[in-house]
């Protein structure tokens, strides 16, 4: 069965056939503690993958290995045909192709919203100043806050900050976006404004890996679903499968707690 | 009768409520406090002045209570008298001799304080930043060597360190009769001398050329930054500015006929002459102040680097910025904001600590002041003058650093 | 991944540790090699001095001078009495407030070994061991079931009062010998401990005054604090030395209209007065930081309960403020401990003064490096251990009952 049948959405967006991310038997230790115990996962072009799991189960660690904020100790990770290893050349390529949005926003507090977005454009992509500015404005309009362009992060609400963070990541025109619990640090009334932006992004065909516990978003936007526990993938499948008919005890218990 | 009683009772109540009134309490409290402070101050001062009168000194030698407004008598000013003592080391070419007045002596000492503090601040900052960054090194040996440095220097009294540098290091250098001649430097326990340059004819013209070079450098900076903004190509404005200045300076140097002559130190008549000289007193003071303060600055540097959340580096890395760019555009600007206030404190400490020169017989402002006290007995005005001097220096440093801090606006990254 | 040096279990882990921390890339390897050479040269130089060229005779011949200066030997029992009382109290407190790890005491004791080897001989060694016994006795007493159980809070209160009482007690006991004979580490310690404890209440008052809503009081406190902090300690010592006797000297002093015989201030007392003035200003700034750290809500809640200003300060604000600044107070103690060496300029013979005296002795002329390094070691051990202790306290305060 095709991805479209599974997600049950209209045929606007097509999940590709090529694997853009391939992780095989990825393991990761922190000292004597093994945080990832052999993760195998492949993500197709334009696919939206949601990862859930209890705190400490290795979700963040896994997606951080994909842009090499964490180095994996065993296994292979191939992103867009490039294998992640100690080669600095690969690292640069991957980092500019994979955008990331953090739970704590991690905006640069000493830079205005515009400079937050254009910093990497000027110094990594060597954009002209005017072009970088146009790009920043275009993205800010897309996330709905063009009027905040000259403010500093501290002057924005949490939801606005996270939308700037999304715009900042999108500015590099990444092929893949990673979201690590992007709404967990937000007040309830701001969650939806960030989720709306993410939903639109999914509809434009961006490849996304999203760690989140937002069931509404997962149900609507996700093509595939992974459940992590103690550093392994316990269960994977379609959203329907998860919401109607989870197989594993640990998954059932977890879902019953957060639903 | 009853009415009268009632009214006096209400009168009493009115006074009582008055006493409970917050504003009355505040007024009375402060008045009493002020009265006590003034009275105690008056007692102490009148005691002092009484005792000083007995030995023929005045508490306020500049104040002439018998004269007319503004009661300041300059004629009785002991600072105008001949000092009679020499100060071997002077700063910034200031000329002083024993025949000059106490005022000149004091000013000479003041300049010495400024020279040693200024140099100390520069060197302590360089070493402190170096050690502080080394503390964060991933290399275990480097980070622990830096830790050892910090713990050694900040846990031993500065005065002890100063004396150590002086008597155990600088005074143990070879005697002048048997100097250590390193070709580039002469090392003796009377002076350490390095080769230096002295101006020749054409020096003035070269200075003008240098100014022009600086202007050209600034212009190059602006042009290259514009180019970077317009094309997006990395245009290295800083390097270009430096290059323009250096090139023009060099061409000017050759064109004006080499206006600098090397001034190599030598020894004659048991004296070191020429070159850039440093006495052991000044050397010990500078070494001690620098190394001690650097340990504290290093801790500030480490603290402020650590205060930047890890997420900042990660977010910058996730955007594809390289390690130099992460440092330059993300970490450093944030670090400086945290670093400047405690570092200002260290600069103030260094300046105040330079008064320990007293023990090494280096005549800074405090040392000069103490000589004036012993010669004239005028302890009160000199101590007051010293306090005003140090307070002004502290104020000046704070002002400069605050200005720098507020100039470092977030956006100028 | 960090594996602390002493936890390395086997060769393979050691090798991995070394690779990750020392030979991680060619630049790092070059750095490591450079550092090894540098450290080797430094260690050789120091070792050569300590074991070959230095003559430690200058120190062993002057043990008494370093520790107590000119304090007469016959009267030394006074010092021992004070040490025993303080050691006993220390042991008791350690048992009653078991928050600081005993490892710290052991570490401190081990660190003192080099000093001990030099200094303790004959009866002094025995007496020193005796003070350890007093410490142990106090500790054991504090650990008795009654004190660590039911009466723990009472015992703590009593201990605090004993500490407070021990100060005047110590002074009176030591004062059997004129202060001009005090010297060495004794004088350093007296100046530091008495300086900071006398200054403490003034510091608190100044801090409260600075936070006061009364402009006159605030102005006075701000002026005092900023002037004292803006000038070097040495000027304040000079002020105390020259001006104090003029202001309150022996002959004619009038206080509140009543002529009283003034105090004949010996140099030690004058130096102490200067140190108190100096420390009070710095303590005030520390306490002010603590006051600012107490959330406004605390005062407001207390006001809402109807407490008056003094109760709010005494029961709510100050306890929290002071608790928050304990590490900073220890830091101030350390820097005062080092700063007392400045009394050298008033010709007092504190620890540093003793070292200067030794290198002026005909037998030991030119042995400055040895004496200075030796007292540097003493200063270092005390300061370093105290700063470690303050880090411990800071950690404990962070997670403790808050
Ligand atoms: N830098 C690190 N050092 C040591 N342990 C870590 C580190 N990062 C994560 N861990 C541990 O790895 C496990 C997985 O963490 P994480 O991936 O953040 O979990 P999740 O995101 O699913 O909550 C946790 O037990 C965590 O304590
Ligand atoms: Mg996580």
């Amino acid at each position: 069965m095709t991805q479209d049948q599974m997600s049950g959405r209209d045929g606007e967006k097509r999940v590709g056939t090529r694997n853009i991310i391939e992780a095989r038997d990825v393991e990761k230790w922190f000292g004597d503690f093994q945080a990832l115990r052999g993760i195998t996962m492949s993500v197709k072009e334009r696919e939206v993958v949601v990862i859930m799991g209890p705190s400490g189960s290795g979700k963040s660690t896994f997606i951080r290995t994909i842009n090499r904020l964490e180095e994996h100790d065993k296994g292979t990770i191939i992103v867009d045909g490039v294998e992640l290893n100690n080669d600095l050349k690969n690292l640069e390529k991957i980092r500019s192709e994979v955008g990331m949005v953090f739970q704590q926003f991690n905006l640069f507090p000493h830079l205005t919203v515009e400079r937050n977005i254009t910093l990497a454009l000027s110094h990594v992509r060597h954009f002209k100043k005017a072009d970088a500015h146009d790009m920043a404005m275009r993205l800010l309009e897309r996330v709905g806050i063009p009027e905040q362009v000259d403010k500093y992060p501290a002057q924005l609400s949490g939801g606005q900050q996270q939308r700037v963070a999304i715009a900042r990541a999108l500015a590099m025109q990444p092929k893949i976006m990673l979201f690590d619990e992007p709404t967990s640090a937000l007040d309830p009334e701001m969650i939806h404004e960030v989720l709306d932006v993410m939903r639109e992004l999914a509809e434009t065909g961006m490849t996304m890996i999203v760690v989140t516990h937002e069931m509404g978003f997962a149900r609507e936007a996700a093509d595939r679903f992974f459940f992590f526990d103690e550093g392994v993938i316990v269960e994977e499948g379609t959203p329907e499968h998860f919401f109607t008919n989870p197989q594993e005890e640990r998954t059932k218990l977890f879902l019953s707690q957060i639903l | 009768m009853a009415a009268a009683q009632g009214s006096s009772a209400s009168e009493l109540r009115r006074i009582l409520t008055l006493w409970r009134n917050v504003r009355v309490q505040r007024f009375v409290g402060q008045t009493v406090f002020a009265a006590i402070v003034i009275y105690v101050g008056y007692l102490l001062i009148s005691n002092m002045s009484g005792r000083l009168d007995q030995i023929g000194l005045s508490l306020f030698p500049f104040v002439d209570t018998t004269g007319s407004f503004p009661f300041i008598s300059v004629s009785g000013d002991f600072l105008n008298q001949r000092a009679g003592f020499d100060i071997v080391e002077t700063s910034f070419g200031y000329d002083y001799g024993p025949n000059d007045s106490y005022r000149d002596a004091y000013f000479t000492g003041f300049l010495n304080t400024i020279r040693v503090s200024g140099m100390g601040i520069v060197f302590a900052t360089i070493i402190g930043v170096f050690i502080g960054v080394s503390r964060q090194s991933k290399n275990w040996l480097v980070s622990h060597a830096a830790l050892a440095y910090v713990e050694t220097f900040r846990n031993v009294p500065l005065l002890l360190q100063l004396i150590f540098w002086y008597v155990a290091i600088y005074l143990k250098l070879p005697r002048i009769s048997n100097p250590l001649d390193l070709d580039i430097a002469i090392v003796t326990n009377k002076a350490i001398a390095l080769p230096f340059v002295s101006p020749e004819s054409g020096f003035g013209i070269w200075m003008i050329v240098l100014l022009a070079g600086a202007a050209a450098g600034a212009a190059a900076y602006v042009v290259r930054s514009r180019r970077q903004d317009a094309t997006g190509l990395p245009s290295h404005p800083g390097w270009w500015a430096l290059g323009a200045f250096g090139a023009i300076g060099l061409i000017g140097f050759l064109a004006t006929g080499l206006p600098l002559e090397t001034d190599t130190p030598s020894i004659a008549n048991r004296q070191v002459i020429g070159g850039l000289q440093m006495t052991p007193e000044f050397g010990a003071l500078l070494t001690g102040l620098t190394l001690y303060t650097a340990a504290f600055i290093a801790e500030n540097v480490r603290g402020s680097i650590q205060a930047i959340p890890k997420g900042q580096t990660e977010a910058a890395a996730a955007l594809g910025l390289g390690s130099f760019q992460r440092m330059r555009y993300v970490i450093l600007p944030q670090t400086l904001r945290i670093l400047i206030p405690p570092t200002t404190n260290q600069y103030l400490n260094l300046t105040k600590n330079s008064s320990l020169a007293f023990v090494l017989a280096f005549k800074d402002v405090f040392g000069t002041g103490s000589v004036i006290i012993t010669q004239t007995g005028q302890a009160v005005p000199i101590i007051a003058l010293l306090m005003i001097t140090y307070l002004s220096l502290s104020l000046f440093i704070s002002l400069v650093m605050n200005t720098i801090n507020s100039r470092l606006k977030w956006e100028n990254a | 991944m960090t594996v602390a040096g002493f936890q390395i279990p086997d060769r393979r882990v050691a090798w991995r540790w070394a690779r990750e921390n020392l030979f991680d890339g060619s630049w790092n390897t070059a750095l490591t090699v450079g550092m090894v050479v540098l450290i080797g040269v430094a260690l050789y130089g120091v070792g050569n001095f300590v074991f070959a060229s230095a003559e430690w005779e200058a120190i062993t011949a002057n043990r008494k001078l370093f520790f107590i200066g000119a304090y007469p030997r016959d009267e030394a029992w006074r010092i021992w009495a004070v040490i025993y009382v303080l050691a006993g109290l220390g042991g008791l407190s350690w048992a009653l407030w078991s928050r600081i790890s005993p490892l710290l005491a052991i570490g401190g004791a081990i660190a003192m070994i080099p000093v001990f080897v030099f200094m303790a001989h004959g009866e002094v060694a025995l007496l020193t061991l005796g003070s350890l016994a007093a410490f142990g006795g106090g500790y054991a007493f504090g650990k008795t079931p009654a004190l660590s159980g039911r009466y723990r809070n009472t015992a703590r209160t009593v201990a605090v009062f004993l500490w407070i009482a021990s100060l005047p007690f110590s002074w009176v006991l030591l004062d059997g010998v004129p202060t001009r004979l005090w010297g060495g580490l004794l004088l350093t310690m007296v100046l530091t401990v008495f300086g900071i404890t006398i200054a403490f209440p003034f510091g608190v008052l100044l801090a409260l005054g600075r936070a006061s809503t009364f402009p006159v009081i605030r102005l006075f406190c701000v002026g005092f604090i900023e002037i004292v902090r803006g000038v070097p300690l040495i000027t304040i010592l000079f002020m105390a030395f020259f001006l104090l006797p003029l202001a309150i000297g022996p002959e004619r002093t009038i206080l509140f209209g009543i002529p009283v015989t003034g105090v004949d201030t010996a140099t030690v007392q004058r130096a102490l007065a200067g140190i108190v003035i100096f420390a009070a200003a710095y303590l005030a700034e520390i306490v002010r930081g603590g006051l600012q750290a107490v959330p406004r809500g605390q005062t407001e809640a207390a006001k809402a309960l109807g407490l008056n200003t003094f109760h709010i300060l005494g029961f709510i604000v100050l306890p929290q403020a002071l608790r928050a600044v304990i590490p900073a107070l220890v830091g101030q103690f350390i820097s005062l401990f080092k700063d007392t060496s400045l009394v050298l300029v008033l010709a007092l013979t504190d620890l540093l003064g003793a070292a200067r005296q030794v290198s002026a002795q005909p037998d030991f002329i030119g042995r400055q490096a040895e004496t200075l390094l030796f007292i540097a070691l003493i200063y270092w051990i005390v300061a370093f251990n105290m700063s470690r202790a303050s880090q411990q306290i800071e950690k404990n305060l962070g997670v403790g009952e808050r």
Side-chain angles (χ1 to χ4, degrees):
Chain A
M1 78 187 146
T2 70
Q3 297 288 341
D4 279 1
Q5 282 165 335
M6 288 192 327
S7 65
R9 277 190 276 107
D10 49 288
E12 273 281 351
K13 183 193 113 175
R14 295 239 156 174
V15 171
T17 48
R18 191 172 73 98
N19 281 342
I20 192 164
I21 300 175
E22 272 189 61
R24 208 168 305 126
D25 300 322
V26 175
E27 298 187 22
K28 168 79 190 169
W29 278 268
F30 290 111
D32 296 334
F33 174 77
Q34 189 173 8
L36 300 180
R37 301 161 177 267
I39 301 283
T40 300
M41 173 191 294
S42 50
V43 179
K44 300 214 154 43
E45 274 178 314
R46 296 191 291 281
E47 192 175 19
V48 176
V49 164
V50 163
I51 298 177
M52 281 191 192
S55 163
S57 57
K59 306 180 297 291
S60 302
T61 306
F62 175 67
I63 69 168
R64 287 154 60 88
T65 57
I66 293 173
N67 65 349
R68 217 167 171 68
L69 287 181
E70 305 282 3
E71 294 171 19
H72 58 287
D73 296 314
K74 270 204 185 131
T76 50
I77 302 177
I78 298 173
V79 178
D80 199 17
V82 180
E83 172 162 4
L84 296 191
N85 52 25
N86 281 327
D87 192 340
L88 279 176
K89 205 85 207 148
N90 290 357
L91 185 66
E92 269 171 33
K93 183 164 183 309
I94 294 310
R95 291 252 170 97
S96 55
E97 279 184 10
V98 182
M100 183 156 191
V101 176
F102 301 83
Q103 180 177 352
Q104 298 298 339
F105 325 140
N106 292 345
L107 292 181
F108 305 130
H110 61 301
L111 303 178
T112 60
V113 165
E114 173 175 351
R115 278 294 276 159
N116 259 281
I117 298 174
T118 57
L119 183 71
L121 283 180
S122 334
H123 295 293
V124 180
R125 285 279 150 84
H126 302 306
F127 266 46
K128 297 176 193 172
K129 194 176 186 182
D131 293 349
H133 173 79
D134 292 345
M135 172 76 106
M137 286 317 295
R138 205 143 22 87
L139 287 166
L140 283 174
E141 257 155 46
R142 194 161 151 198
V143 300
I145 40 174
E147 71 284 357
Q148 311 289 0
V149 60
D150 290 326
K151 294 221 176 123
Y152 285 92
Q155 296 168 303
L156 305 182
S157 74
Q160 291 171 329
Q161 288 191 43
Q162 193 61 300
R163 285 189 274 164
V164 173
I166 294 175
R168 178 176 74 176
L170 288 177
M172 297 298 286
Q173 294 163 308
K175 292 187 178 159
I176 301 162
M177 286 283 284
L178 308 174
F179 292 84
D180 190 2
E181 306 203 31
T183 56
S184 298
L186 295 178
D187 292 338
E189 72 271 19
M190 293 168 185
I191 290 179
H192 72 95
E193 63 189 50
V194 172
L195 290 181
D196 285 345
V197 171
M198 288 168 58
R199 214 174 279 124
E200 278 167 32
L201 193 60
E203 274 159 25
T204 62
M206 174 68 75
T207 310
M208 293 163 63
I209 300 186
V210 185
V211 176
T212 185
H213 295 151
E214 290 298 327
M215 287 303 173
F217 174 82
R219 203 186 282 263
E220 266 182 59
D223 298 305
R224 222 144 38 100
F225 217 89
F226 288 84
F227 184 77
F228 274 47
D229 196 12
E230 298 188 345
V232 292
I233 297 177
V234 175
E235 195 165 356
E236 77 169 277
T238 62
E240 277 79 6
H241 165 81
F242 261 82
F243 291 117
T244 56
N245 184 24
Q247 296 296 308
E248 300 286 329
E249 276 315 309
R250 281 187 277 184
T251 323
K252 285 181 198 166
L253 184 69
F254 180 76
L255 289 175
S256 73
Q257 278 165 354
I258 64 166
L259 279 177
Chain B
M1 186 65 185
Q5 234 172 14
S7 84
S8 79
S10 73
E11 180 74 358
L12 192 66
R13 205 177 309 126
R14 201 181 66 80
I15 292 171
L16 279 180
T17 35
L18 197 64
W19 175 240
R20 289 207 308 261
N21 184 307
V22 175
R23 297 178 61 177
V24 175
Q25 272 190 11
R26 287 173 61 100
F27 178 75
V28 173
Q30 300 194 59
T31 315
V32 170
F33 180 84
I36 292 175
V37 168
I38 291 170
Y39 186 61
V40 170
Y42 166 77
L43 284 177
L44 296 180
I45 288 173
S46 72
N47 274 339
M48 281 201 272
S49 116
R51 290 232 177 71
L52 285 172
D53 278 346
Q54 288 171 9
I55 52 173
L57 286 174
S58 157
L59 181 57
F60 302 112
F62 309 110
V63 180
D64 175 14
T65 41
T66 58
S68 57
F69 190 80
F71 304 120
I72 293 181
S73 93
V74 182
S75 57
D77 185 348
F78 68 91
L79 285 177
N80 285 337
Q81 293 165 12
R82 179 178 175 276
F85 62 92
D86 197 10
I87 298 177
V88 183
E89 215 169 343
T90 61
S91 300
F92 311 114
Y94 190 76
D95 203 18
Y96 169 83
N99 285 328
D100 290 325
S101 65
Y102 283 124
R103 178 172 280 111
D104 285 328
Y106 191 88
F107 189 66
T108 309
F110 177 67
L111 291 181
N112 279 343
T113 291
I114 290 185
R115 176 161 65 112
V116 74
S117 310
M119 289 176 71
I121 284 173
V122 171
F123 290 134
T125 308
I126 294 170
I127 297 177
V129 169
F130 178 73
I131 301 280
V133 172
S134 305
R135 279 279 265 130
Q136 298 290 92
S137 168
K138 273 167 93 181
N139 187 308
W140 188 91
L141 269 182
V142 173
S143 66
H144 282 73
L147 173 68
Y149 174 93
V150 170
E151 294 293 6
T152 306
F153 281 91
R154 72 173 181 178
N155 284 321
V156 173
L158 172 60
L159 184 56
L160 197 171
Q161 296 187 33
L162 290 175
I163 295 176
F164 180 84
W165 288 116
Y166 186 53
V167 301
I169 305 289
Y170 281 89
L171 288 187
K172 288 280 162 67
L173 293 173
R175 289 161 191 278
I176 191 116
S177 50
N178 180 24
L180 179 63
D181 202 334
L182 295 173
D183 285 341
I184 48 163
I186 292 181
V187 179
T188 73
N189 66 1
K190 264 192 176 173
I192 295 175
L194 291 170
F196 201 54
V197 287
S198 55
E200 279 284 293
S201 68
F203 184 74
I205 303 175
W206 186 51
M207 280 288 124
I208 296 171
V209 175
L210 276 186
L211 270 181
Y221 188 89
V222 171
V223 169
R224 295 301 293 185
S225 334
R226 291 232 176 105
R227 186 183 114 102
Q228 179 155 358
D229 289 349
T231 63
L233 300 174
S235 307
H236 312 293
W239 290 117
W240 276 70
L242 208 64
F245 177 73
I248 293 176
L250 186 65
I251 293 168
F253 188 69
L254 299 175
T256 50
L258 317 180
L260 286 178
E261 194 187 39
T262 45
D263 175 11
T264 324
S266 59
I267 295 182
N269 289 333
R270 304 178 57 81
Q271 293 280 341
V272 182
I273 24 183
L276 183 66
Q277 291 193 21
M278 183 172 75
T279 63
E281 290 78 20
F282 183 82
L285 185 61
L286 185 62
T287 314
L289 284 174
T290 301
L291 296 184
Y292 183 76
T293 313
F296 290 89
I297 293 181
E299 276 304 275
N300 295 344
V301 168
R302 182 182 68 99
S304 50
I305 293 178
Q306 279 182 348
I308 313 294
K310 242 182 90 193
Q312 292 292 309
T313 318
E314 290 182 351
L319 288 170
L321 293 168
S323 63
F324 172 79
Q325 291 170 325
R326 292 200 290 266
M327 198 66 198
R328 166 70 184 79
Y329 299 109
V330 176
I331 305 302
L332 205 63
Q334 295 186 58
T335 308
L336 277 182
R337 280 287 276 230
I338 307 175
L339 185 58
I340 286 183
T343 302
T344 307
N345 253 341
Q346 289 311 324
Y347 291 172
L348 295 175
N349 284 345
L350 188 148
T351 309
K352 287 184 282 173
N353 284 336
S354 70
S355 60
L356 296 180
F358 176 69
V359 180
L360 308 184
F362 174 78
K363 289 286 175 290
D364 72 329
V365 70
F366 186 85
T368 324
S370 68
V371 174
I372 302 177
I373 291 179
T374 38
Q375 286 195 1
T376 62
Q378 299 277 14
V380 182
I382 292 296
I383 289 178
L385 195 59
L386 283 170
M387 290 183 133
I388 293 171
T389 306
Y390 281 106
L391 284 172
S392 322
L393 277 175
S394 297
L395 196 66
F396 174 75
I397 293 174
S398 302
L399 280 179
V400 170
M401 297 302 286
N402 284 344
T403 316
I404 291 178
N405 206 15
S406 58
R407 281 285 162 77
L408 266 183
K409 279 210 209 103
W410 282 123
E411 71 237 78
N412 296 347
Chain C
M1 170 182 345
T2 324
V3 180
F6 43 83
Q7 285 174 340
I8 295 172
D10 63 35
R11 286 235 314 268
R12 243 185 52 226
V13 178
W15 171 237
R16 193 168 81 183
W17 177 87
R19 218 183 40 212
E20 281 175 13
N21 292 285
L22 297 175
F23 305 107
D24 177 17
S26 49
W27 157 243
N28 220 354
T29 307
L31 212 58
T32 301
V33 172
M35 284 307 292
V36 167
V37 171
L38 205 71
I39 294 172
V41 169
L43 282 184
Y44 176 78
V46 171
N48 193 34
F49 175 77
V50 168
F51 297 109
S53 63
E55 286 173 26
W56 298 105
E57 173 79 10
I59 288 152
T60 45
N62 284 290
R63 293 185 175 106
K64 175 174 164 288
L65 184 59
F66 279 115
F67 272 93
I68 58 179
Y71 210 95
R73 256 187 223 286
D74 293 345
E75 304 283 339
W77 62 270
R78 296 170 182 278
I79 301 169
W80 286 110
V82 169
I83 290 179
Y84 276 49
V85 167
L86 295 184
L89 261 179
L92 178 67
S93 312
W94 203 296
L96 291 176
W97 284 273
S98 50
R99 309 194 79 190
I100 307 170
S101 143
L103 278 179
L104 205 68
I106 296 168
I110 292 174
M112 288 303 285
I113 287 177
V115 179
F116 193 76
V117 166
F118 262 121
M119 307 310 284
H121 65 122
E123 59 181 53
V124 175
L126 283 181
L127 287 163
T128 311
L129 288 177
S131 70
L132 288 180
F135 185 91
Y139 188 82
F141 182 56
K143 281 293 181 195
T144 49
L147 288 195
S148 58
R150 199 138 65 95
Y151 297 110
R152 182 155 163 153
N153 283 331
T154 324
R156 283 182 175 184
T157 317
V158 172
V160 169
F161 276 103
L162 285 180
W163 273 114
I164 296 172
S166 74
L167 284 170
F169 164 80
S170 307
W171 184 278
V172 169
L173 201 58
L174 294 174
D175 207 21
V177 170
T179 52
R180 76 191 137 76
L181 297 179
W182 301 8
L185 186 59
L186 170 72
L187 181 59
T188 297
M189 278 299 178
V190 164
L191 290 173
T192 312
V193 173
F194 283 91
I196 207 149
T197 38
I198 300 174
F200 185 73
F202 291 109
V204 172
L205 286 179
L206 283 167
L208 290 175
R210 188 165 190 172
S212 155
T213 50
F214 291 15
V216 175
I217 294 178
R218 201 169 55 223
L219 192 73
F220 174 81
C221 294
V222 171
F224 180 89
I225 293 170
E226 292 305 331
I227 289 177
V228 172
R229 280 163 39 91
V231 303
L233 172 56
I234 198 171
T235 56
I236 294 180
L237 288 176
F238 259 49
M239 198 176 79
F241 185 78
F242 287 110
L243 307 191
L244 206 63
L246 290 177
I248 59 163
E251 311 96 33
R252 186 187 68 104
T253 302
I254 303 171
L255 264 181
F256 299 103
I258 312 159
V260 289
T261 319
V263 266
D264 183 7
T265 43
T267 312
V268 169
Q269 281 91 328
R270 291 187 218 168
L272 189 56
I275 287 174
V276 166
I277 292 174
F278 181 75
Y282 283 81
L283 289 176
E285 279 306 276
I286 291 174
V287 174
R288 182 165 81 115
L291 290 176
Q292 285 170 344
V294 179
R296 275 180 70 93
Q298 293 292 312
T299 318
E300 285 169 3
K303 272 185 189 157
L305 289 172
L307 297 183
N308 70 28
T309 313
F310 292 102
H311 286 154
I312 294 176
L313 276 181
F315 296 131
I316 312 292
V317 176
L318 272 181
Q320 296 188 48
L322 293 182
R323 201 185 144 92
V325 297
I326 289 174
L329 292 176
V330 179
Q332 186 57 42
F333 185 94
I334 298 171
S335 69
L336 197 63
F337 173 69
K338 292 183 294 165
D339 283 343
T340 51
S341 58
L342 264 66
V343 299
L344 182 75
V345 304
L346 304 184
L348 288 176
T349 324
D350 71 328
L351 193 50
L352 182 56
R356 302 304 294 141
Q357 239 175 41
V358 169
S359 30
Q361 290 168 352
D363 286 350
F364 306 118
I365 288 263
R367 305 258 62 102
Q368 287 102 340
E370 286 89 339
T371 52
L372 288 173
L373 285 176
F374 175 70
I375 61 160
L377 180 68
I378 297 184
Y379 276 114
W380 188 87
I381 289 171
V382 176
F384 180 75
N385 277 299
M386 295 216 42
S387 71
R388 278 292 133 103
S390 115
Q391 285 168 9
Q392 275 265 336
I393 297 171
E394 200 166 352
K395 262 194 215 145
N396 289 344
L397 281 181
V399 293
E401 38 197 276
R402 223 180 183 197

